[in-house]
Amino acid sequence: MPRQQLQQQPPQQEPLKGEAHGGDANVVPDGDEAMEEEVDQEGYASSTPTSSLTWISWFCSLPGHEYFCEVTEDFIEDEFNLTGLNSMVPFWKEAMEMVLDVEPEDSLKIPDVSIVEASAELMYGLIHQRYILTRFGLNAMAEKYEAGQFGTCPRVYCLACHVVPCGRSDMPGLDTVKLYCPNCNDIFTPPSSKFQGVDGAFFGTTFAHLFFQTFPQFAPAPYYSPSGLSTSAVSRSPGNSTQPAFVNPNPHGGQKPAAGKVYTPKIYGFRVSERAKSGPRMRWLRLRPEIPGELDQVDWRGRWIGSDDDEYEEDDDEDGEHHMEDFDPVGHNR
Amino acid sequence: MRRAVDELSTGSDSDYSNSWISWFLSSKGNEYFCEVEEDYILDRFNLTGLNTEVQNYTQALDLITDNLDDEIQDNEFRGSLDVQARLLYGLIHARWIITSRGLAKMLEKYKKADFGRCPRVLCQSQPLLPVGLSDIPYEKSVKLYCGRCEDIYSPKSSRHGSIDGAYFGTSFPHMLFLVYPAMIPPKSGPPDLTLSLSGSVRGDGGDGARRRRAREDPESVAEGVGDSVSTVSAALKAERYRPKIFGFQVHEIAKLQRWQEAVRDRQIGRLEELEERGVI
């Protein structure tokens, strides 16, 4: 839907609830023509103070807004994509005009530009949450991801794995943006305070995980065998060179070798015993099995299969024991 | 060398208040270090073996203890001596902070969160402790250990990221929690600020805070980790993040998390049995 449409149909934009969708249906078919017109208009629009810079590019270039990608105008102009948002954003029409760089229809009605600015930011953020779940949005974010624009995981043994922005809620105003690391499957506070003004809902709860489902080549596999000891995992891949031949037997799973080292607390070089009060209690949080098959030893309720509620069945216990121990001798001092 | 300038600018102030150590501690980027008491440095027994690690050991030691002759005018030598003095101080520091007095000093810094807070969201800004990955200098930079998730993180700022990890050593945070079990962070809920407000003496303040909490909420006794409280099943209280797509868990990650929790439960089972038998 072109900008003119917004200007031509002000009455339909007035009500907060989605009456405007009637108009929507009329608009979509002639989208092509409208696009051409819009391109023409762009030349005109550039006479605004920000000149060639669109509101969207300007917004995305602000400090703290580095995680945003630019939502295409045709995505915003398709009202179907905005279903339900107009009830969440005050001064919807004015905000829309601002985001799309349309000259305000009747500037008298705008009480204060800063209010509209806040609305425009909220609207853009909520549209952004939806946009980055589309193919175009995911691709745009993948580009930023590969360039490392979201930063790296602060956890030492994730070995600077790239992270993606992520919200803890899809509703705005609840929590700020966080960073999700696909290697430790955990979320972190962004390192700079400039991101503390960015709402997590502008990225949403789904994006980070849909992203790694869409691009499994970026997602670390759920198992890890310390190189050298690896026999089982490598046997799946031909040749001895693990790196190029890495294949996760689960075709829908992560296709990147994981950084699976887990920190081992030591005092004077001796591991702190789990029997100590201050002994390790959280290794499980970062642990990965050595071979993918081990994941199947746990049923959907989270119990060891065949252990019949007794965690001390020889088989499992030995397996686990072997597991916990094996990380350390390799790691010397690490 | 910068120090020489500093000294000039501070003018004729007494040299005693402006010792090398206090200058070192107050310079930017050295916030993680605590003050090593002079008595400790002057006891040669504590420095055993360091003379082979540090060049110009004697002068470096003199510089740290403010006994260096001011006659040394060679700027280049002065500069290299400064580097060696930092190395020496760092290595002494690594030994000092695992003594009982050093631990107490670092505990104060920990309570003020001088080492930063855990970046993991579910650790709820748990204060961190510095840790090395090697006890040998020039190998690995300093990392930060979180007592809640029991994992290590890289410092946020590059100023801290370039500090040698050997100046803190591999044992320090674990020694601290071994000596001060009351300081072991609970696995859930916000970090216990009452402990950070309590005075320098751990005993009364900490106990009082725990008792106060106990009155408010009978469950919190098990939550806060005290001297008498078992940590065997503490991990059950730990929160974790569950990735979801439109509210649904992601298959492969959910499977891994189930496996991890089964490993956790197995450890808890193992420890509970030991506890029942009275071994721990």
Side-chain angles (χ1 to χ4, degrees):
Chain A
M1 186 176 72
R3 296 159 167 190
Q4 303 93 296
Q5 211 66 51
L6 282 170
Q7 294 168 327
Q8 281 159 12
Q9 302 185 324
Q12 277 168 322
Q13 298 284 329
E14 280 313 315
L16 277 179
K17 284 285 173 197
E19 246 89 346
H21 294 299
D24 196 15
N26 300 332
V27 171
V28 175
D30 60 15
D32 266 358
E33 277 173 69
M35 280 294 263
E36 278 165 39
E37 278 179 86
E38 190 198 333
V39 172
D40 287 348
Q41 264 230 306
E42 206 107 83
Y44 276 95
S46 66
S47 60
T48 47
T50 42
S51 67
S52 59
L53 194 65
T54 63
W55 185 90
I56 293 175
S57 321
W58 167 79
F59 179 80
C60 293
S61 68
L62 289 175
H65 291 187
E66 289 84 349
Y67 297 161
F68 287 97
C69 73
E70 293 194 22
V71 180
T72 56
E73 288 194 359
D74 43 323
F75 183 85
I76 302 177
E77 284 161 356
D78 184 342
E79 289 209 6
F80 175 77
N81 295 327
L82 315 183
T83 307
L85 293 186
N86 50 2
S87 63
M88 297 168 74
V89 181
F91 301 104
W92 173 261
K93 182 169 148 284
E94 288 81 0
M96 178 66 81
E97 285 168 351
M98 182 177 274
V99 168
L100 294 177
D101 301 300
V102 182
E103 290 298 327
E105 167 108 319
D106 38 4
S107 42
L108 293 172
K109 275 186 64 193
I110 301 172
D112 185 357
V113 184
S114 65
I115 295 176
V116 179
E117 259 166 17
S119 284
E121 184 172 339
L122 175 63
M123 181 172 77
Y124 185 77
L126 292 174
I127 296 173
H128 185 266
Q129 182 202 108
R130 295 180 176 189
Y131 177 71
I132 54 177
L133 302 182
T134 66
R135 193 151 51 90
F136 292 113
L138 284 165
N139 284 331
M141 292 300 261
E143 227 168 86
K144 290 171 79 76
Y145 181 78
E146 279 191 284
Q149 288 184 24
F150 306 122
T152 58
C153 183
R155 183 175 168 263
V156 172
Y157 288 131
C158 282
L159 307 178
C161 181
H162 286 184
V163 292
V164 286
C166 145
R168 295 193 68 193
S169 156
D170 291 314
M171 292 300 289
L174 292 176
D175 205 350
T176 58
V177 66
K178 308 289 179 231
L179 296 169
Y180 170 76
C181 170
N183 191 64
C184 55
N185 297 315
D186 214 334
I187 49 171
F188 298 97
T189 309
S192 163
S193 57
K194 68 181 172 181
F195 297 111
Q196 270 160 23
V198 180
D199 199 312
F202 297 171
F203 298 89
T205 57
T206 294
F207 161 70
H209 315 300
L210 190 62
F211 180 84
F212 289 109
Q213 289 286 298
T214 312
F215 303 105
Q217 68 268 29
F218 298 142
Y223 56 92
Y224 164 79
S225 55
S227 47
L229 298 179
S230 56
T231 44
S232 37
V234 180
S235 68
R236 297 178 177 277
S237 50
N240 266 342
S241 47
T242 39
Q243 202 66 2
F246 184 87
V247 175
N248 182 346
N250 172 8
H252 308 292
Q255 298 299 328
K256 200 175 105 176
K261 217 160 148 34
V262 180
Y263 178 65
T264 305
K266 287 180 186 169
I267 295 179
Y268 298 128
F270 298 99
R271 279 182 296 132
V272 181
S273 167
E274 67 174 12
R275 296 187 182 196
K277 190 190 284 288
S278 62
R281 297 286 181 267
M282 296 296 288
R283 287 181 64 85
W284 56 275
L285 187 65
R286 309 304 194 196
L287 206 61
R288 279 178 156 86
E290 282 186 32
I291 53 166
E294 271 184 71
L295 291 171
D296 296 323
Q297 292 175 5
V298 176
D299 69 9
W300 60 274
R301 294 172 307 174
R303 309 229 177 114
W304 296 99
I305 289 171
S307 70
D308 202 28
D309 237 2
D310 176 13
E311 275 112 51
Y312 288 92
E313 209 85 325
E314 333 94 70
D315 240 355
D316 284 335
D317 202 32
E318 245 153 48
D319 234 30
E321 208 59 77
H322 162 81
H323 213 94
M324 302 289 280
E325 305 278 329
D326 248 16
F327 271 89
D328 314 315
V330 201
H332 307 298
N333 245 339
R334 278 128 197 259
Chain B
M1 285 215 282
R2 205 189 316 141
R3 183 187 168 236
V5 179
D6 282 356
E7 265 181 2
L8 283 178
S9 60
T10 50
S12 56
D13 273 14
S14 75
D15 278 341
Y16 299 102
S17 64
N18 215 359
S19 67
W20 186 89
I21 291 176
S22 59
W23 162 79
F24 176 81
L25 293 175
S26 62
S27 45
K28 224 173 179 196
N30 290 345
E31 294 83 359
Y32 291 173
F33 290 91
C34 79
E35 187 187 358
V36 182
E37 282 171 16
E38 204 161 14
D39 292 351
Y40 186 83
I41 301 177
L42 293 177
D43 185 341
R44 290 300 166 106
F45 175 76
N46 295 325
L47 313 185
T48 308
L50 292 184
N51 52 352
T52 60
E53 301 264 359
V54 181
Q55 290 164 23
N56 306 112
Y57 170 76
T58 338
Q59 285 108 319
L61 187 59
D62 285 344
L63 179 55
I64 290 176
T65 51
D66 304 300
N67 290 323
L68 191 67
D69 286 340
D70 287 336
E71 276 124 59
I72 299 173
Q73 293 300 331
D74 183 352
N75 271 347
E76 210 172 287
F77 178 71
R78 198 75 204 214
S80 83
L81 197 57
D82 204 64
V83 173
Q84 294 305 315
R86 287 157 181 271
L87 171 65
L88 179 60
Y89 187 79
L91 294 176
I92 298 172
H93 185 265
R95 295 180 176 190
W96 158 253
I97 57 174
I98 46 179
T99 65
S100 60
R101 292 159 76 82
L103 279 172
K105 284 211 165 178
M106 287 299 263
L107 185 62
E108 288 313 302
K109 289 177 75 68
Y110 171 61
K111 286 174 175 175
K112 288 187 280 172
D114 278 357
F115 312 110
R117 294 172 183 273
C118 187
R120 180 173 175 264
V121 172
L122 295 173
C123 281
Q124 306 194 37
S125 303
Q126 171 67 41
L128 297 164
L129 285 166
V131 67
L133 293 179
S134 166
D135 290 304
I136 300 157
Y138 301 122
E139 283 201 343
K140 284 269 161 90
S141 63
V142 71
K143 307 293 176 215
L144 298 166
Y145 175 79
C146 172
R148 187 178 290 231
C149 58
E150 299 174 14
D151 211 337
I152 49 169
Y153 299 94
S154 301
K156 263 201 269 185
S157 104
S158 54
R159 267 190 285 125
H160 296 139
S162 57
I163 298 174
D164 201 319
Y167 298 169
F168 298 88
T170 57
S171 309
F172 163 66
H174 318 302
M175 186 68 100
L176 186 123
F177 289 126
L178 194 72
V179 173
Y180 297 103
M183 284 295 148
I184 300 171
K187 296 294 181 209
S188 64
D192 198 341
L193 290 170
T194 52
L195 287 173
S196 60
L197 293 173
S198 69
S200 55
V201 187
R202 175 179 61 96
D204 331 74
D207 283 339
R210 268 203 306 285
R211 241 177 284 123
R212 225 175 302 129
R213 267 184 300 130
R215 240 181 290 126
E216 281 162 22
D217 175 10
E219 254 190 46
S220 64
V221 182
E223 217 169 79
V225 176
D227 288 319
S228 56
V229 179
S230 159
T231 63
V232 160
S233 57
L236 284 176
K237 291 225 164 69
E239 288 176 277
R240 78 181 313 187
Y241 177 69
R242 291 188 197 280
K244 283 178 186 165
I245 293 179
F246 298 121
F248 297 100
Q249 291 207 43
V250 183
H251 175 75
E252 193 175 56
I253 298 170
K255 197 170 172 181
L256 172 63
Q257 293 195 332
R258 275 199 300 276
W259 180 85
Q260 290 170 331
E261 283 148 29
V263 171
R264 172 197 68 191
D265 295 345
R266 189 167 54 193
Q267 184 195 23
I268 291 171
R270 195 162 59 227
L271 291 173
E272 276 175 348
E273 203 188 68
L274 287 168
E275 200 174 43
E276 266 170 47
R277 284 198 275 140
V279 182
I280 54 172

